[in-house]
Amino acid sequence: MQGFGDQFFSSESGLEIQKVGNEEFDDDGKPKRTGNVWTASAHIITAIIGSGVLSLAWGVAQLGWIAGVATLVIFSGITLYTGSLLADCYRSPATGKRNYTYKEVVKNNLGQVMYMFCATVQYVNLTGMVIRYTITASISMAAIQKSDCFHSRGHEVSCSVSHNPYMIGLGVLEIFLSQIPNFHRLSLLSVVAAIMSFAYSSIGVGLAFAKVVSGDGGRTSLTGVEIGAGLTAAEKIWRMFRAFGDIAFAYTYSQILVEIQDTLKSSPPENQVMKKANVIAVSTTTAFYMMCGCFGYAAFGNDAPGNLLTGFGFYEPFWLVDVANACIVLHLVGAYQVFAQPIYSVVESWARRKWPRSVLVNGEYTISLDKKQRVVISLNLLRLIWRSLFVIFATFVALLMPFFNDVLALLGAIGYWPLTVYFPIEMYIANNRVGRWTRRWLGLQLINGVCLLVAVAAACGSLQGLGKSLETYEPFRVKD
């Protein structure tokens, strides 16, 4: 075991700098970054494709073929465009200095006030995401148990399952995984998570396609679910708002894009590599979104469930449904860490600046699991205590508020526009000195305005959904 003194840290990014032999360093004094277009693509895909992809059939059902498909295409284009703008902000134009986090980019381009606003929105959003993943993963784990129950006892039997034990188990696992120091060490976990996202999305698409080919597809229409018995005009509008929001937020990953870009090698230039990674990831994601949304809608029509797998749009083959839900769990386990890393880093960086000589804060200890030291674990007391407490907090909130998805939808509606659209566009305007009322300025402001309206509409839909959830709220019980 080795103690403090063999290693020190950057106070800005929380990334470790080791004095080991003749290790090569980047221009900022940190160990040479090794990320490439494929590792960055894996990180982005892990962040974008969540189990929410399986709810896109519901979203398309609310909007219909024309508006549903158009919305998927439009928001993929907006995400790709603003992601490219943000990639150019990683290095400061005048000095070439790296910006290690999203909020640093905003601070150096738009000032202190916007920095504080960005930091608040970003970390509330990220915390909400890990809480959502705790809930969603537990639903998929419970769905496996329910699937087996339906298979053995029949589809009409009530197979009630508590999600709470699964949430607690997931929290324990995430405590161990949270000790992975930083984004640089998450590449393998992100690759596995990305593969899992492809797996369960493909299963969902395959099952929906088989249902359509067999001739059992549902009734669809150009305008989606129709007003009539059981659906008022007002409820139709609320559902459309939520569908717009679901599709828009399905592409959200900008809040961790800069942190992902900071893992890339400096040659070729990071912004060029990141733009290629954005194209690969967003194109791949859009292809899966289109297949899941369109095939799912064609299979179930206007009665498409909120989730093709956990909502039991399919009961058989039960083992394939179980495999898909297992893949969802494995994906969310990895995505949890991708979204949590910026939260871990900001607290640990602050602590190192505050107490630069503290052994508790800075002491790094390595433990070898075999005699030849081929398997080594690195432990830090601050990392162990702080990250464990954060995971416990996220798990507790998930247990306390099982309808937190409605709250998160509201937080997402508030955070989507500034993080994904407003900040990247305003920083691009500032860096490139785009003149007011020029055609480029007007085009950028049009994108800004449209996305703001979508965010406001989604927020209204989320509030309406939250109100319904509160009416039937029962503490410590997750509804099936």
Side-chain angles (χ1 to χ4, degrees), residues 202-213:
S202 299
I203 292 173
V205 169
L207 290 172
F209 181 73
K211 188 176 177 68
V212 173
V213 170

Side-chain angles (χ1 to χ4, degrees), residues 98-334:
R98 298 172 188 263
N99 294 297
Y100 302 112
T101 64
Y102 190 105
K103 66 183 190 297
E104 283 184 36
V105 172
V106 173
K107 181 178 182 180
N108 293 330
N109 286 276
L110 300 178
Q112 183 69 25
V113 175
M114 287 298 175
Y115 165 79
M116 296 301 296
F117 174 58
C118 171
T120 301
V121 174
Q122 181 185 14
Y123 291 119
V124 168
N125 241 350
L126 291 172
T127 302
M129 290 300 292
V130 299
I131 295 172
R132 177 189 179 186
Y133 285 163
T134 302
I135 295 172
T136 307
S138 72
I139 291 173
S140 288
M141 287 187 277
I144 295 174
Q145 184 178 344
K146 292 174 69 175
S147 174
D148 296 342
C149 173
F150 287 134
H151 176 72
S152 60
R153 300 174 58 190
H155 300 170
E156 304 302 323
V157 176
S158 175
C159 294
S160 181
V161 177
S162 173
H163 301 174
N164 294 347
Y166 295 111
M167 290 188 194
I168 295 171
L170 181 70
V172 172
L173 175 61
E174 294 294 356
I175 286 177
F176 285 99
L177 292 178
S178 69
Q179 300 311 305
I180 298 174
N182 49 55
F183 263 118
H184 296 272
R185 308 291 180 83
L186 281 178
S187 294
L188 179 59
L189 189 62
S190 284
V191 169
V192 172
I195 293 172
M196 293 300 103
S197 67
F198 289 144
Y200 68 71
S201 299
S202 299
I203 292 173
V205 169
L207 290 172
F209 181 73
K211 188 176 177 68
V212 173
V213 170
S214 68
D216 293 332
R219 181 176 179 276
T220 65
S221 66
L222 293 178
T223 57
V225 293
E226 298 161 337
I227 298 171
L231 182 67
T232 64
E235 183 63 27
K236 164 76 173 178
I237 294 174
W238 290 125
R239 288 190 181 188
M240 290 180 66
F241 284 170
R242 289 200 292 271
F244 280 129
D246 286 348
I247 293 173
F249 307 142
Y251 286 100
T252 300
Y253 69 97
S254 294
Q255 62 264 47
I256 60 171
L257 188 148
V258 177
E259 284 83 350
I260 293 174
Q261 191 166 346
D262 191 49
T263 68
L264 297 175
K265 293 182 289 188
S266 56
S267 180
E270 302 93 349
N271 63 333
Q272 295 180 15
V273 176
M274 198 64 192
K275 288 178 181 180
K276 291 179 181 178
N278 277 326
V279 171
I280 293 171
V282 174
S283 299
T284 303
T285 299
T286 301
F288 273 92
Y289 282 5
M290 292 289 286
M291 288 189 291
C292 283
C294 295
F295 282 138
Y297 182 39
F300 296 99
N302 295 333
D303 295 323
N307 187 305
L308 294 181
L309 297 173
T310 62
F312 289 95
F314 305 100
Y315 289 93
E316 301 293 341
F318 81 99
W319 60 269
L320 190 57
V321 175
D322 289 353
V323 168
N325 279 299
C327 290
I328 291 175
V329 174
L330 291 174
H331 170 248
L332 294 182
V333 165

Side-chain angles (χ1 to χ4, degrees), residues 33-69:
R33 294 161 175 83
T34 59
N36 55 47
V37 65
W38 300 111
T39 60
S41 299
H43 284 315
I44 295 171
I45 291 171
T46 300
I48 299 181
I49 300 184
S51 60
V53 66
L54 299 172
S55 68
L56 291 177
W58 180 88
V60 174
Q62 310 315 307
L63 300 172
W65 285 116
I66 297 176
V69 173

